[in-house]
Amino acid sequence: MAFQILLNLMIAFLWMFLNNDWTASGFIIGYVLGVAVLVVMRRFFDGRLYLGKIWAILKLVALLLRELVASSYVVVKAVLRPNLNIRPAILMYHTELESDWEVAVLITMLCLTPGSVVLEVSKDNRTLYIHAMDIQDVKQFDANIRNTFERAILEVTRS
């Protein structure tokens, strides 16, 4: 991926040099031309084009922001309610993530969203113990983590 980014930037600067156009528009034209060259030459690179990984990272950040806003709303609504009607729980969650980096990103995302905190991680990094503020259905909570956070992290790291 780093090679593709560097090659794209080199093509952009080469375009600017050959056209003697040292403006932002000249760089953008060269950059788009570099992307086109990379698309044509993508079979010579290992993995997918780096723009796909950048898009996956942007989707992961957007997912985190969306979950942050939604869970903040739920926590504020629960706190401002006159009678506290919550069901806190400590859950054991088995993750499909394998690398330390993937698990660390998942833990960070879970701790950043209000209403949940990761208390403990097993020695094999496959089981997380999570304290959740309000649990309606444990299976839905597990499925929600697996279908949102884990899937987005896997899209960034493995594809």
PDB file of all heavy atoms in Angstrom, residues 18-47:
ATOM      1  N   LEU A  18       6.387  18.107 -15.705  1.00  0.00           N
ATOM      2  CA  LEU A  18       6.353  18.099 -17.174  1.00  0.00           C
ATOM      3  C   LEU A  18       5.477  19.211 -17.739  1.00  0.00           C
ATOM      4  O   LEU A  18       5.747  19.721 -18.829  1.00  0.00           O
ATOM      5  CB  LEU A  18       5.873  16.735 -17.676  1.00  0.00           C
ATOM      6  CG  LEU A  18       6.835  15.563 -17.450  1.00  0.00           C
ATOM      7  CD1 LEU A  18       6.199  14.262 -17.891  1.00  0.00           C
ATOM      8  CD2 LEU A  18       8.148  15.799 -18.178  1.00  0.00           C
ATOM      9  N   ASN A  19       4.433  19.594 -17.025  1.00  0.00           N
ATOM     10  CA  ASN A  19       3.556  20.667 -17.505  1.00  0.00           C
ATOM     11  C   ASN A  19       3.953  22.036 -16.967  1.00  0.00           C
ATOM     12  O   ASN A  19       3.335  23.032 -17.318  1.00  0.00           O
ATOM     13  CB  ASN A  19       2.109  20.382 -17.111  1.00  0.00           C
ATOM     14  CG  ASN A  19       1.508  19.284 -17.949  1.00  0.00           C
ATOM     15  OD1 ASN A  19       1.726  19.241 -19.155  1.00  0.00           O
ATOM     16  ND2 ASN A  19       0.787  18.400 -17.314  1.00  0.00           N
ATOM     17  N   ASN A  20       4.968  22.082 -16.094  1.00  0.00           N
ATOM     18  CA  ASN A  20       5.395  23.323 -15.457  1.00  0.00           C
ATOM     19  C   ASN A  20       4.206  24.044 -14.827  1.00  0.00           C
ATOM     20  O   ASN A  20       4.040  25.251 -14.958  1.00  0.00           O
ATOM     21  CB  ASN A  20       6.139  24.222 -16.450  1.00  0.00           C
ATOM     22  CG  ASN A  20       6.969  25.266 -15.750  1.00  0.00           C
ATOM     23  OD1 ASN A  20       7.309  25.101 -14.580  1.00  0.00           O
ATOM     24  ND2 ASN A  20       7.303  26.327 -16.469  1.00  0.00           N
ATOM     25  N   ASP A  21       3.372  23.265 -14.146  1.00  0.00           N
ATOM     26  CA  ASP A  21       2.147  23.773 -13.507  1.00  0.00           C
ATOM     27  C   ASP A  21       2.212  23.399 -12.029  1.00  0.00           C
ATOM     28  O   ASP A  21       1.827  22.312 -11.641  1.00  0.00           O
ATOM     29  CB  ASP A  21       0.922  23.155 -14.182  1.00  0.00           C
ATOM     30  CG  ASP A  21      -0.383  23.657 -13.595  1.00  0.00           C
ATOM     31  OD1 ASP A  21      -0.368  24.679 -12.893  1.00  0.00           O
ATOM     32  OD2 ASP A  21      -1.424  23.019 -13.850  1.00  0.00           O
ATOM     33  N   TRP A  22       2.705  24.317 -11.200  1.00  0.00           N
ATOM     34  CA  TRP A  22       2.921  24.040  -9.789  1.00  0.00           C
ATOM     35  C   TRP A  22       1.771  24.588  -8.948  1.00  0.00           C
ATOM     36  O   TRP A  22       1.972  25.220  -7.924  1.00  0.00           O
ATOM     37  CB  TRP A  22       4.259  24.607  -9.326  1.00  0.00           C
ATOM     38  CG  TRP A  22       5.392  23.977 -10.062  1.00  0.00           C
ATOM     39  CD1 TRP A  22       6.046  24.467 -11.140  1.00  0.00           C
ATOM     40  CD2 TRP A  22       5.956  22.699  -9.801  1.00  0.00           C
ATOM     41  NE1 TRP A  22       7.001  23.588 -11.574  1.00  0.00           N
ATOM     42  CE2 TRP A  22       6.968  22.484 -10.764  1.00  0.00           C
ATOM     43  CE3 TRP A  22       5.723  21.715  -8.863  1.00  0.00           C
ATOM     44  CZ2 TRP A  22       7.733  21.329 -10.794  1.00  0.00           C
ATOM     45  CZ3 TRP A  22       6.489  20.571  -8.899  1.00  0.00           C
ATOM     46  CH2 TRP A  22       7.480  20.386  -9.855  1.00  0.00           C
ATOM     47  N   THR A  23       0.558  24.318  -9.390  1.00  0.00           N
ATOM     48  CA  THR A  23      -0.630  24.759  -8.662  1.00  0.00           C
ATOM     49  C   THR A  23      -1.345  23.538  -8.078  1.00  0.00           C
ATOM     50  O   THR A  23      -1.021  22.399  -8.397  1.00  0.00           O
ATOM     51  CB  THR A  23      -1.597  25.515  -9.591  1.00  0.00           C
ATOM     52  OG1 THR A  23      -2.026  24.631 -10.632  1.00  0.00           O
ATOM     53  CG2 THR A  23      -0.921  26.741 -10.220  1.00  0.00           C
ATOM     54  N   ALA A  24      -2.325  23.803  -7.232  1.00  0.00           N
ATOM     55  CA  ALA A  24      -3.109  22.709  -6.646  1.00  0.00           C
ATOM     56  C   ALA A  24      -3.879  21.956  -7.718  1.00  0.00           C
ATOM     57  O   ALA A  24      -3.992  20.731  -7.668  1.00  0.00           O
ATOM     58  CB  ALA A  24      -4.057  23.249  -5.581  1.00  0.00           C
ATOM     59  N   SER A  25      -4.395  22.677  -8.696  1.00  0.00           N
ATOM     60  CA  SER A  25      -5.148  21.998  -9.761  1.00  0.00           C
ATOM     61  C   SER A  25      -4.230  21.099 -10.588  1.00  0.00           C
ATOM     62  O   SER A  25      -4.636  20.020 -11.018  1.00  0.00           O
ATOM     63  CB  SER A  25      -5.856  23.018 -10.656  1.00  0.00           C
ATOM     64  OG  SER A  25      -4.904  23.846 -11.308  1.00  0.00           O
ATOM     65  N   GLY A  26      -2.993  21.524 -10.802  1.00  0.00           N
ATOM     66  CA  GLY A  26      -2.038  20.675 -11.515  1.00  0.00           C
ATOM     67  C   GLY A  26      -1.732  19.408 -10.739  1.00  0.00           C
ATOM     68  O   GLY A  26      -1.619  18.324 -11.313  1.00  0.00           O
ATOM     69  N   PHE A  27      -1.612  19.537  -9.401  1.00  0.00           N
ATOM     70  CA  PHE A  27      -1.371  18.364  -8.566  1.00  0.00           C
ATOM     71  C   PHE A  27      -2.569  17.422  -8.600  1.00  0.00           C
ATOM     72  O   PHE A  27      -2.405  16.211  -8.696  1.00  0.00           O
ATOM     73  CB  PHE A  27      -1.074  18.791  -7.129  1.00  0.00           C
ATOM     74  CG  PHE A  27      -0.894  17.631  -6.200  1.00  0.00           C
ATOM     75  CD1 PHE A  27       0.283  16.899  -6.192  1.00  0.00           C
ATOM     76  CD2 PHE A  27      -1.913  17.246  -5.355  1.00  0.00           C
ATOM     77  CE1 PHE A  27       0.450  15.817  -5.350  1.00  0.00           C
ATOM     78  CE2 PHE A  27      -1.764  16.155  -4.506  1.00  0.00           C
ATOM     79  CZ  PHE A  27      -0.580  15.443  -4.502  1.00  0.00           C
ATOM     80  N   ILE A  28      -3.772  17.977  -8.511  1.00  0.00           N
ATOM     81  CA  ILE A  28      -4.982  17.137  -8.518  1.00  0.00           C
ATOM     82  C   ILE A  28      -5.108  16.385  -9.837  1.00  0.00           C
ATOM     83  O   ILE A  28      -5.418  15.189  -9.853  1.00  0.00           O
ATOM     84  CB  ILE A  28      -6.225  17.996  -8.225  1.00  0.00           C
ATOM     85  CG1 ILE A  28      -6.179  18.473  -6.775  1.00  0.00           C
ATOM     86  CG2 ILE A  28      -7.507  17.223  -8.502  1.00  0.00           C
ATOM     87  CD1 ILE A  28      -7.224  19.502  -6.420  1.00  0.00           C
ATOM     88  N   ILE A  29      -4.837  17.067 -10.938  1.00  0.00           N
ATOM     89  CA  ILE A  29      -4.892  16.397 -12.241  1.00  0.00           C
ATOM     90  C   ILE A  29      -3.857  15.279 -12.300  1.00  0.00           C
ATOM     91  O   ILE A  29      -4.145  14.156 -12.748  1.00  0.00           O
ATOM     92  CB  ILE A  29      -4.689  17.410 -13.384  1.00  0.00           C
ATOM     93  CG1 ILE A  29      -5.890  18.348 -13.484  1.00  0.00           C
ATOM     94  CG2 ILE A  29      -4.455  16.696 -14.715  1.00  0.00           C
ATOM     95  CD1 ILE A  29      -5.680  19.519 -14.414  1.00  0.00           C
ATOM     96  N   GLY A  30      -2.650  15.541 -11.828  1.00  0.00           N
ATOM     97  CA  GLY A  30      -1.609  14.512 -11.806  1.00  0.00           C
ATOM     98  C   GLY A  30      -1.958  13.361 -10.881  1.00  0.00           C
ATOM     99  O   GLY A  30      -1.676  12.203 -11.178  1.00  0.00           O
ATOM    100  N   TYR A  31      -2.582  13.684  -9.754  1.00  0.00           N
ATOM    101  CA  TYR A  31      -2.976  12.637  -8.806  1.00  0.00           C
ATOM    102  C   TYR A  31      -4.039  11.727  -9.409  1.00  0.00           C
ATOM    103  O   TYR A  31      -3.957  10.503  -9.296  1.00  0.00           O
ATOM    104  CB  TYR A  31      -3.480  13.282  -7.509  1.00  0.00           C
ATOM    105  CG  TYR A  31      -3.653  12.310  -6.387  1.00  0.00           C
ATOM    106  CD1 TYR A  31      -2.575  11.918  -5.620  1.00  0.00           C
ATOM    107  CD2 TYR A  31      -4.898  11.767  -6.094  1.00  0.00           C
ATOM    108  CE1 TYR A  31      -2.719  11.021  -4.580  1.00  0.00           C
ATOM    109  CE2 TYR A  31      -5.057  10.871  -5.061  1.00  0.00           C
ATOM    110  CZ  TYR A  31      -3.966  10.498  -4.314  1.00  0.00           C
ATOM    111  OH  TYR A  31      -4.116   9.609  -3.297  1.00  0.00           O
ATOM    112  N   VAL A  32      -5.037  12.326 -10.055  1.00  0.00           N
ATOM    113  CA  VAL A  32      -6.092  11.534 -10.706  1.00  0.00           C
ATOM    114  C   VAL A  32      -5.495  10.703 -11.834  1.00  0.00           C
ATOM    115  O   VAL A  32      -5.863   9.532 -12.023  1.00  0.00           O
ATOM    116  CB  VAL A  32      -7.232  12.455 -11.199  1.00  0.00           C
ATOM    117  CG1 VAL A  32      -8.210  11.704 -12.081  1.00  0.00           C
ATOM    118  CG2 VAL A  32      -7.945  13.103 -10.021  1.00  0.00           C
ATOM    119  N   LEU A  33      -4.560  11.274 -12.564  1.00  0.00           N
ATOM    120  CA  LEU A  33      -3.874  10.519 -13.610  1.00  0.00           C
ATOM    121  C   LEU A  33      -3.099   9.352 -12.995  1.00  0.00           C
ATOM    122  O   LEU A  33      -3.086   8.248 -13.546  1.00  0.00           O
ATOM    123  CB  LEU A  33      -2.929  11.444 -14.388  1.00  0.00           C
ATOM    124  CG  LEU A  33      -2.189  10.816 -15.553  1.00  0.00           C
ATOM    125  CD1 LEU A  33      -3.173  10.434 -16.650  1.00  0.00           C
ATOM    126  CD2 LEU A  33      -1.155  11.779 -16.089  1.00  0.00           C
ATOM    127  N   GLY A  34      -2.467   9.583 -11.841  1.00  0.00           N
ATOM    128  CA  GLY A  34      -1.748   8.517 -11.144  1.00  0.00           C
ATOM    129  C   GLY A  34      -2.678   7.408 -10.695  1.00  0.00           C
ATOM    130  O   GLY A  34      -2.331   6.231 -10.765  1.00  0.00           O
ATOM    131  N   VAL A  35      -3.866   7.775 -10.220  1.00  0.00           N
ATOM    132  CA  VAL A  35      -4.851   6.757  -9.835  1.00  0.00           C
ATOM    133  C   VAL A  35      -5.240   5.931 -11.055  1.00  0.00           C
ATOM    134  O   VAL A  35      -5.359   4.700 -10.976  1.00  0.00           O
ATOM    135  CB  VAL A  35      -6.086   7.408  -9.176  1.00  0.00           C
ATOM    136  CG1 VAL A  35      -7.220   6.412  -9.042  1.00  0.00           C
ATOM    137  CG2 VAL A  35      -5.728   7.988  -7.824  1.00  0.00           C
ATOM    138  N   ALA A  36      -5.425   6.588 -12.186  1.00  0.00           N
ATOM    139  CA  ALA A  36      -5.775   5.859 -13.412  1.00  0.00           C
ATOM    140  C   ALA A  36      -4.659   4.893 -13.808  1.00  0.00           C
ATOM    141  O   ALA A  36      -4.928   3.746 -14.213  1.00  0.00           O
ATOM    142  CB  ALA A  36      -6.060   6.843 -14.541  1.00  0.00           C
ATOM    143  N   VAL A  37      -3.412   5.322 -13.679  1.00  0.00           N
ATOM    144  CA  VAL A  37      -2.283   4.444 -13.990  1.00  0.00           C
ATOM    145  C   VAL A  37      -2.256   3.254 -13.031  1.00  0.00           C
ATOM    146  O   VAL A  37      -2.035   2.107 -13.444  1.00  0.00           O
ATOM    147  CB  VAL A  37      -0.955   5.235 -13.938  1.00  0.00           C
ATOM    148  CG1 VAL A  37       0.246   4.303 -13.982  1.00  0.00           C
ATOM    149  CG2 VAL A  37      -0.889   6.234 -15.078  1.00  0.00           C
ATOM    150  N   LEU A  38      -2.515   3.507 -11.749  1.00  0.00           N
ATOM    151  CA  LEU A  38      -2.534   2.409 -10.775  1.00  0.00           C
ATOM    152  C   LEU A  38      -3.667   1.431 -11.046  1.00  0.00           C
ATOM    153  O   LEU A  38      -3.508   0.228 -10.847  1.00  0.00           O
ATOM    154  CB  LEU A  38      -2.640   2.962  -9.360  1.00  0.00           C
ATOM    155  CG  LEU A  38      -1.389   3.657  -8.822  1.00  0.00           C
ATOM    156  CD1 LEU A  38      -1.666   4.259  -7.466  1.00  0.00           C
ATOM    157  CD2 LEU A  38      -0.219   2.706  -8.772  1.00  0.00           C
ATOM    158  N   VAL A  39      -4.813   1.938 -11.489  1.00  0.00           N
ATOM    159  CA  VAL A  39      -5.934   1.049 -11.807  1.00  0.00           C
ATOM    160  C   VAL A  39      -5.561   0.140 -12.978  1.00  0.00           C
ATOM    161  O   VAL A  39      -5.852  -1.054 -12.969  1.00  0.00           O
ATOM    162  CB  VAL A  39      -7.213   1.860 -12.100  1.00  0.00           C
ATOM    163  CG1 VAL A  39      -8.280   1.004 -12.743  1.00  0.00           C
ATOM    164  CG2 VAL A  39      -7.737   2.500 -10.831  1.00  0.00           C
ATOM    165  N   VAL A  40      -4.896   0.704 -13.971  1.00  0.00           N
ATOM    166  CA  VAL A  40      -4.480  -0.091 -15.125  1.00  0.00           C
ATOM    167  C   VAL A  40      -3.424  -1.120 -14.713  1.00  0.00           C
ATOM    168  O   VAL A  40      -3.431  -2.252 -15.191  1.00  0.00           O
ATOM    169  CB  VAL A  40      -3.949   0.837 -16.241  1.00  0.00           C
ATOM    170  CG1 VAL A  40      -3.285   0.038 -17.344  1.00  0.00           C
ATOM    171  CG2 VAL A  40      -5.074   1.683 -16.799  1.00  0.00           C
ATOM    172  N   MET A  41      -2.537  -0.747 -13.795  1.00  0.00           N
ATOM    173  CA  MET A  41      -1.444  -1.633 -13.390  1.00  0.00           C
ATOM    174  C   MET A  41      -1.747  -2.438 -12.134  1.00  0.00           C
ATOM    175  O   MET A  41      -0.844  -3.060 -11.564  1.00  0.00           O
ATOM    176  CB  MET A  41      -0.187  -0.786 -13.142  1.00  0.00           C
ATOM    177  CG  MET A  41       0.327  -0.096 -14.367  1.00  0.00           C
ATOM    178  SD  MET A  41       1.737   0.976 -14.007  1.00  0.00           S
ATOM    179  CE  MET A  41       2.798  -0.087 -13.082  1.00  0.00           C
ATOM    180  N   ARG A  42      -2.986  -2.494 -11.682  1.00  0.00           N
ATOM    181  CA  ARG A  42      -3.292  -3.112 -10.391  1.00  0.00           C
ATOM    182  C   ARG A  42      -2.995  -4.601 -10.330  1.00  0.00           C
ATOM    183  O   ARG A  42      -2.769  -5.138  -9.263  1.00  0.00           O
ATOM    184  CB  ARG A  42      -4.740  -2.847  -9.996  1.00  0.00           C
ATOM    185  CG  ARG A  42      -5.764  -3.592 -10.783  1.00  0.00           C
ATOM    186  CD  ARG A  42      -7.168  -3.279 -10.269  1.00  0.00           C
ATOM    187  NE  ARG A  42      -8.149  -3.917 -11.093  1.00  0.00           N
ATOM    188  CZ  ARG A  42      -8.779  -3.355 -12.098  1.00  0.00           C
ATOM    189  NH1 ARG A  42      -8.547  -2.101 -12.378  1.00  0.00           N
ATOM    190  NH2 ARG A  42      -9.651  -4.010 -12.806  1.00  0.00           N
ATOM    191  N   ARG A  43      -2.952  -5.266 -11.447  1.00  0.00           N
ATOM    192  CA  ARG A  43      -2.652  -6.698 -11.416  1.00  0.00           C
ATOM    193  C   ARG A  43      -1.198  -6.970 -11.045  1.00  0.00           C
ATOM    194  O   ARG A  43      -0.848  -8.082 -10.674  1.00  0.00           O
ATOM    195  CB  ARG A  43      -2.996  -7.351 -12.743  1.00  0.00           C
ATOM    196  CG  ARG A  43      -2.122  -6.894 -13.878  1.00  0.00           C
ATOM    197  CD  ARG A  43      -2.480  -7.582 -15.153  1.00  0.00           C
ATOM    198  NE  ARG A  43      -1.610  -7.056 -16.209  1.00  0.00           N
ATOM    199  CZ  ARG A  43      -1.577  -7.501 -17.396  1.00  0.00           C
ATOM    200  NH1 ARG A  43      -2.381  -8.480 -17.743  1.00  0.00           N
ATOM    201  NH2 ARG A  43      -0.778  -6.988 -18.285  1.00  0.00           N
ATOM    202  N   PHE A  44      -0.346  -5.960 -11.132  1.00  0.00           N
ATOM    203  CA  PHE A  44       1.061  -6.125 -10.766  1.00  0.00           C
ATOM    204  C   PHE A  44       1.321  -5.885  -9.283  1.00  0.00           C
ATOM    205  O   PHE A  44       2.432  -6.065  -8.808  1.00  0.00           O
ATOM    206  CB  PHE A  44       1.940  -5.179 -11.588  1.00  0.00           C
ATOM    207  CG  PHE A  44       1.883  -5.453 -13.063  1.00  0.00           C
ATOM    208  CD1 PHE A  44       1.273  -4.555 -13.915  1.00  0.00           C
ATOM    209  CD2 PHE A  44       2.410  -6.618 -13.589  1.00  0.00           C
ATOM    210  CE1 PHE A  44       1.211  -4.796 -15.273  1.00  0.00           C
ATOM    211  CE2 PHE A  44       2.346  -6.873 -14.940  1.00  0.00           C
ATOM    212  CZ  PHE A  44       1.740  -5.960 -15.793  1.00  0.00           C
ATOM    213  N   PHE A  45       0.307  -5.457  -8.534  1.00  0.00           N
ATOM    214  CA  PHE A  45       0.463  -5.164  -7.111  1.00  0.00           C
ATOM    215  C   PHE A  45      -0.161  -6.268  -6.280  1.00  0.00           C
ATOM    216  O   PHE A  45      -1.145  -6.879  -6.674  1.00  0.00           O
ATOM    217  CB  PHE A  45      -0.207  -3.835  -6.750  1.00  0.00           C
ATOM    218  CG  PHE A  45       0.333  -2.657  -7.502  1.00  0.00           C
ATOM    219  CD1 PHE A  45      -0.487  -1.913  -8.326  1.00  0.00           C
ATOM    220  CD2 PHE A  45       1.658  -2.284  -7.379  1.00  0.00           C
ATOM    221  CE1 PHE A  45      -0.002  -0.824  -9.018  1.00  0.00           C
ATOM    222  CE2 PHE A  45       2.155  -1.197  -8.059  1.00  0.00           C
ATOM    223  CZ  PHE A  45       1.323  -0.464  -8.887  1.00  0.00           C
ATOM    224  N   ASP A  46       0.420  -6.482  -5.113  1.00  0.00           N
ATOM    225  CA  ASP A  46      -0.169  -7.428  -4.166  1.00  0.00           C
ATOM    226  C   ASP A  46      -1.348  -6.754  -3.476  1.00  0.00           C
ATOM    227  O   ASP A  46      -1.270  -5.611  -3.062  1.00  0.00           O
ATOM    228  CB  ASP A  46       0.853  -7.846  -3.114  1.00  0.00           C
ATOM    229  CG  ASP A  46       1.982  -8.661  -3.714  1.00  0.00           C
ATOM    230  OD1 ASP A  46       1.754  -9.301  -4.754  1.00  0.00           O
ATOM    231  OD2 ASP A  46       3.083  -8.656  -3.132  1.00  0.00           O
ATOM    232  N   GLY A  47      -2.435  -7.461  -3.325  1.00  0.00           N
ATOM    233  CA  GLY A  47      -3.601  -6.910  -2.639  1.00  0.00           C
ATOM    234  C   GLY A  47      -4.378  -5.954  -3.520  1.00  0.00           C
ATOM    235  O   GLY A  47      -4.154  -5.822  -4.713  1.00  0.00           O
TER     236      GLY A  47
END
